[in-house]
Amino acid sequence: MNKEAQHWINRYMDAYLVVTRRINAQIRDSISEELTSDQYLILRLIQGQELCTSTHLAEAFAVGKSSITAMTNRLVEAGMIERTRDENDRRQVYLSMTEDGKSIFDAAEKQVQEIVSPYLFHFEESDIEMFIKMFEKLGSLMQESGGKNN
């Protein structure tokens, strides 16, 4: 690896640690006591999918299905999500938010917006758009190929 690439990686890792640790801590401290950061993210993923499955959540979290099952079980027990079986294929189970889950998620989402938005005001709109596009591209590369050239 050349020195320039190593320098970029070090800068990325340094910024990643500061940003993710601080934002996650602020989110953890501000969202409902009923909800962990991971549970908030699960609700966010469920909300964004018309037919969300445990498999989708496991892939998004990059964890095994047993880990997702444990997390979703807690959300079911708390009355925030429910499971429904596909009428055509009873093996297929979909996850959706209950009204209580939607209410808790909406409150948490508002808190997250209040935490993140003040940071955005320090940047031009075009810079924010470019950053998000590049970050989305990095996310896509990680999901598709692990960054390797095919």
Side-chain angles (χ1 to χ4, degrees):
M1 177 182 323
N2 68 38
K3 285 189 182 261
E4 188 173 33
Q6 188 173 7
H7 177 71
W8 289 335
I9 291 168
N10 289 338
R11 286 177 56 198
Y12 169 81
M13 291 305 299
D14 291 345
Y16 167 82
L17 288 172
V18 170
V19 171
T20 57
R21 287 196 178 265
R22 293 204 178 168
I23 289 290
N24 286 340
Q26 289 176 348
I27 290 170
R28 186 178 51 248
D29 292 344
S30 71
I31 62 176
S32 170
E33 292 179 8
E34 308 170 67
L35 205 59
T36 67
S37 296
D38 281 347
Q39 289 172 333
Y40 162 74
L41 292 173
I42 286 174
L43 292 178
R44 185 172 177 76
L45 288 168
I46 290 172
Q47 184 256 354
Q49 291 285 311
E50 186 175 336
L51 298 172
C52 187
T53 64
S54 293
T55 301
H56 171 74
L57 295 177
E59 289 170 0
F61 271 75
V63 298
K65 280 189 70 175
S66 61
S67 296
I68 288 298
T69 299
M71 288 186 223
T72 56
N73 282 345
R74 285 190 284 279
L75 288 168
V76 168
E77 290 165 10
M80 290 186 230
I81 66 171
E82 58 190 1
R83 293 182 176 106
T84 53
R85 293 199 179 275
D86 185 299
E87 294 190 19
N88 297 323
D89 183 354
R90 305 287 295 157
R91 297 169 296 176
Q92 188 72 1
V93 177
Y94 301 113
L95 304 168
S96 59
M97 274 194 271
T98 63
E99 288 304 315
D100 192 34
K102 287 177 187 173
S103 175
I104 291 168
F105 172 76
D106 288 344
E109 184 77 350
K110 184 177 181 204
Q111 288 299 116
V112 169
Q113 303 246 340
E114 289 176 10
I115 289 167
V116 175
S117 63
Y119 296 107
L120 298 179
F121 294 120
H122 295 277
F123 301 94
E124 297 293 325
E125 190 173 325
S126 60
D127 291 338
I128 295 168
E129 183 64 30
M130 184 185 327
F131 169 76
I132 292 171
K133 280 184 178 180
M134 293 172 73
F135 207 65
E136 288 170 342
K137 183 175 181 177
L138 179 61
S140 292
L141 288 169
M142 289 180 167
Q143 285 182 318
E144 293 167 7
S145 66
K148 295 175 180 72
N149 291 330
N150 293 332

